[in-house]
């Protein structure tokens, strides 16, 4: 099952509050993406949510109220006042499988580690696997926000066809799909026959600004309404708040003595449309048209 839990580190056990370990590691994966730009980390975050939402050995969502087979009761004494037959408040994350220390009446011993989890209606006696805490729910809330505001716009900002992330340096040959790693020795010229003139400049629509998607060369708005709401929201979505399409004013070069005449902007849109992108994360030199 696609859990990010370092199973062997815990001696082949699932520790008390295993879901909290899993969600906290998802936060570390988010920072790994922010540092490297490798979408592998964002993919793994989505797999982590898949795990807590039902893709696990118990075939249940460990989050109350979310999913067709979601957890209905957790070890919380305040919630018991609602009534054992009632659903618990939505959005609570249970501790998860635990075979490291079982000292309650309901968490089953002697079973596969990933299945050491108490059954429905056992919350009062299942503190070992069904406990819920603020510090366990906090990383779930953090990761849920990150997925909604950072991963969804990244994967769906161009009608679902966005490149994963702009490459830091040009690849050695032209491809329709961008590389997720920089090339060590970029070529000084494109490997295919370039156009003889720069791409014609698009005309700005002059309409209301939106959160333009970097991976599309700021030529289209992101699909997320939240990202398009304000420049502040847009900055959290790795976009640029501007009317679209953004006018081409130059290009990004990684070799000396060149100009934009042989550059095809769509080959690396995350670097060729803004000077700050070019000379920032792309590590190039901006050349005005």
């Amino acid at each position: 099952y696609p859990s990010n839990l370092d199973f062997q580190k815990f001696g082949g056990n699932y520790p008390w509050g295993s879901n909290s370990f899993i969600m906290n590691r998802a936060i570390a994966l988010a920072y790994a993406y922010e540092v490297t730009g490798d979408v592998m980390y964002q993919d793994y975050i989505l797999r982590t949510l898949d795990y807590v939402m039902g893709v696990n050995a118990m075939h249940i969502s460990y989050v109350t109220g979310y999913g067709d087979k979601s957890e209905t009761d957790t070890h919380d004494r305040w919630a018991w006042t609602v009534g054992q037959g009632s659903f618990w408040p939505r959005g609570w994350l249970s501790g998860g499988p635990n075979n490291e220390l079982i000292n309650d009446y309901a968490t089953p011993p002697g079973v596969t580690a990933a299945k050491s989890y108490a059954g429905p209606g056992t919350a009062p006696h299942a503190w070992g696997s069904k406990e819920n805490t603020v510090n366990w729910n906090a990383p779930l809330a953090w990761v849920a926000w990150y997925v909604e505001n950072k991963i969804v716009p990244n994967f769906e900002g161009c009608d679902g066809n966005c490149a994963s992330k702009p490459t830091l340096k040009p690849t050695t040959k032209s491809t329709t799909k961008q590389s997720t790693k920089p090339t060590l020795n970029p070529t000084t010229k494109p490997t295919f026959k370039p156009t003889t003139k720069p791409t014609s400049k698009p005309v700005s629509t002059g309409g209301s600004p939106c959160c333009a998607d970097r991976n599309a060369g700021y030529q289209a708005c992101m699909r997320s309404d939240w990202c398009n709401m304000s420049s502040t929201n847009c900055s959290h979505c790795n976009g640029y708040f501007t009317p679209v399409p953004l006018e081409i004013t130059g290009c990004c070069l990684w070799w000396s003595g060149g100009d934009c005449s042989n550059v095809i902007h769509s080959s690396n849109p995350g670097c060729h449309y803004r000077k700050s992108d070019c000379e920032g994360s792309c590590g190039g030199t901006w050349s005005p048209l």
Side-chain angles (χ1 to χ4, degrees), residues 153 157-158 162 208-224 227-228 230-231 234-235 237-246 273-274 277:
C158 315
C162 287
S208 300
C210 66
C211 192
D213 188 351
R214 176 178 178 178
N215 295 315
Y218 307 105
Q219 301 299 291
C221 300
M222 291 186 174
R223 293 180 62 187
S224 170
C227 295
N228 291 316
S230 68
S231 59
C234 183
S235 66
C237 300
N238 289 330
Y240 178 50
F241 205 65
T242 181
V244 296
L246 183 67
Y273 283 83
R274 294 183 65 209
D277 294 336

Side-chain angles (χ1 to χ4, degrees), residues 2-112:
S3 160
N4 63 30
L5 188 66
D6 191 348
F7 186 69
Q8 297 303 321
K9 180 179 179 180
F10 294 100
N13 294 325
Y14 272 55
W16 191 309
S18 60
N19 283 341
S20 71
F21 286 89
I22 290 169
M23 295 313 302
N24 277 303
R25 289 184 176 207
I27 295 178
L29 290 169
Y31 279 101
Y33 168 78
E34 296 298 329
V35 171
T36 67
D38 191 336
V39 294
M40 171 187 69
Y41 296 110
Q42 289 194 333
D43 287 336
Y44 212 167
I45 293 171
L46 294 177
R47 291 184 65 189
T48 297
L49 277 186
D50 285 343
Y51 173 83
V52 299
M53 297 296 288
V55 187
N56 53 62
M58 297 301 297
H59 300 293
I60 65 169
S61 168
Y62 292 122
V63 183
T64 58
Y66 286 88
D68 292 336
K69 298 180 179 179
S70 61
E71 181 57 273
T72 59
D73 59 303
T74 59
H75 184 75
D76 186 287
R77 294 173 186 177
W78 174 86
W80 299 341
T81 64
V82 177
Q84 186 67 26
S86 302
F87 283 97
W88 262 229
R90 299 178 73 234
W92 286 6
L93 176 68
S94 69
N98 162 34
N99 70 329
E100 181 183 55
L101 175 61
I102 301 175
N103 60 1
D104 62 29
Y105 304 107
T107 302
V111 298
T112 302

Side-chain angles (χ1 to χ4, degrees), residues 17 19-21 23-24 27 93 131-141:
N19 283 341
S20 71
F21 286 89
M23 295 313 302
N24 277 303
I27 295 178
L93 176 68
E131 182 180 17
N132 64 269
T133 70
V134 172
N135 56 300
W136 294 355
N137 244 87
L140 173 64

